[in-house]
Each structure stands twice: as C-alpha cells, then as structure tokens.
Amino acid sequence: MVRLPASPLARQGRLLSRIVKLLREERNLTSRQTAARMKMQLRTYQDFEAGKREFSFTKVRRFARGVGADPFGILLAMYLHDPEAALEVMDNRMPMAFYVGMRRLRKAIGAELATIPPAQVLLAMRRVEEELLAYLARRAAGTEDWLEQAFAEILDDPPDDDT
C-alpha cells in the first residue's frame, strides 16, 4: 500500500483538494467547465484540485469566483479542517460578510482595535449568535405559519359549484 506524504503541506494540499472537489461537485460542474470558468488550462486546474501545487490564494479566489463560492469560506474550512464548512457557507457568504464587517470595524476603530480584549470580542460574538438564532426562530415560525395556513386552505371544503 502506498502511503501519502504526511508533511503539513501535503496534508494542506489534500484538505484543499477535498474542499475544491466538494464545492465543484455541489455546483454540478466538470473539471473542464471549472477550468474554463477559472480561465486556466484543464491540466493546471486538475493539479490544483488534486492539491499537487503550492497553495495559492489567487487560485482559491479564482476558483471561488468560478463556482460562485466564498473564498473566505474555503480558507475557514481549511483552518477548521472541515470541508463541509465551505459547503455550508457557499451561498450565503457569511465568512466574506465577517471580513467586510472586520474591514469596517478596523476603519472605524483604527489602532485602538489592538486594545480590545478577546473576552470583549467573544461577548460581541455572543450577541451576534443570539441575533442570528432569533432570526432563524422567526424564519421558522413564519414558515410554520405559512404551512399551517396553506394546509388549512387545502383541507377546507371546496366551494359548491352549484351556487
């Protein structure tokens, strides 16, 4: 049995390979289609997807643009060692939204950003979490209400045609 290289870079390449393939397949794209969207040769794309080349943020961005994914979601999935994380944020682009928020925060606060303790950041993130959970609850309640109303309309007696 052939053992794959165990170096950190080799592991990183295999992880990126799993993430890229997962996202490409989620979009029902072939390697050829993805390479064309990235404006690169098929062989170059195949090497990229196979994790055979050195990590390139430029290629990650081109890939993300080509398949309509969040490049920061891909990086987050790599940091978390969880390819599914990239899939979960593929369409809502939450990591990119956090990036945009961080840029705005940095612009507003400037150098004082360095004086904010991590505990304060976690407290703020807890508030974000609470807001997002409340949003999901409201959305679920709205969906349930809509379904209940739709089911009631379907189950109501039809109007008489003789009237």
Side-chain angles (χ1 to χ4, degrees):
M1 180 169 164
V2 176
R3 281 186 53 83
L4 296 172
S7 74
L9 289 177
R11 286 193 302 271
Q12 181 187 55
R14 287 193 300 274
L15 178 60
L16 181 60
S17 175
R18 288 198 313 269
I19 294 167
V20 166
K21 187 173 183 184
L22 180 70
L23 297 178
R24 177 180 61 76
E25 289 176 347
E26 178 67 20
R27 293 291 193 229
N28 295 313
L29 294 169
T30 65
S31 295
R32 185 176 304 284
Q33 290 168 321
T34 305
R37 288 175 175 214
M38 291 177 68
K39 297 176 177 45
M40 67 173 48
Q41 295 295 316
L42 176 60
R43 186 75 212 149
T44 304
Y45 172 76
Q46 289 170 331
D47 286 348
F48 168 70
E49 183 175 302
K52 291 182 179 177
R53 302 283 172 122
E54 196 170 302
F55 178 83
S56 164
F57 186 66
T58 300
K59 284 184 183 168
V60 169
R61 281 191 2 245
R62 287 172 68 184
F63 172 79
R65 188 179 315 120
V67 301
D70 184 339
F72 295 100
I74 295 169
L75 297 175
L76 178 64
M78 290 184 69
Y79 276 107
L80 296 174
H81 299 278
D82 182 4
E84 294 290 324
L87 190 60
E88 292 165 356
V89 297
M90 181 178 196
D91 291 322
N92 73 5
R93 295 189 168 86
M94 188 180 295
M96 187 167 303
F98 279 118
Y99 169 76
V100 169
M102 184 63 192
R103 284 181 59 182
R104 289 179 52 129
L105 184 66
R106 187 166 179 265
K107 186 175 182 180
I109 296 176
E112 283 193 278
L113 194 59
T115 67
I116 298 173
Q120 189 62 44
V121 174
L122 290 174
L123 180 62
M125 289 304 295
R126 185 180 297 163
R127 289 190 199 124
V128 169
E129 177 185 337
E130 289 167 359
E131 285 292 321
L132 293 176
L133 288 171
Y135 161 77
L136 290 173
R138 286 191 307 273
R139 188 180 74 181
T143 302
E144 289 299 319
D145 291 344
W146 178 82
L147 279 174
E148 197 171 309
Q149 182 180 356
F151 289 163
E153 290 173 9
I154 291 169
L155 297 175
D156 281 345
D157 290 330
D160 290 333
D161 289 339
D162 295 339
T163 52

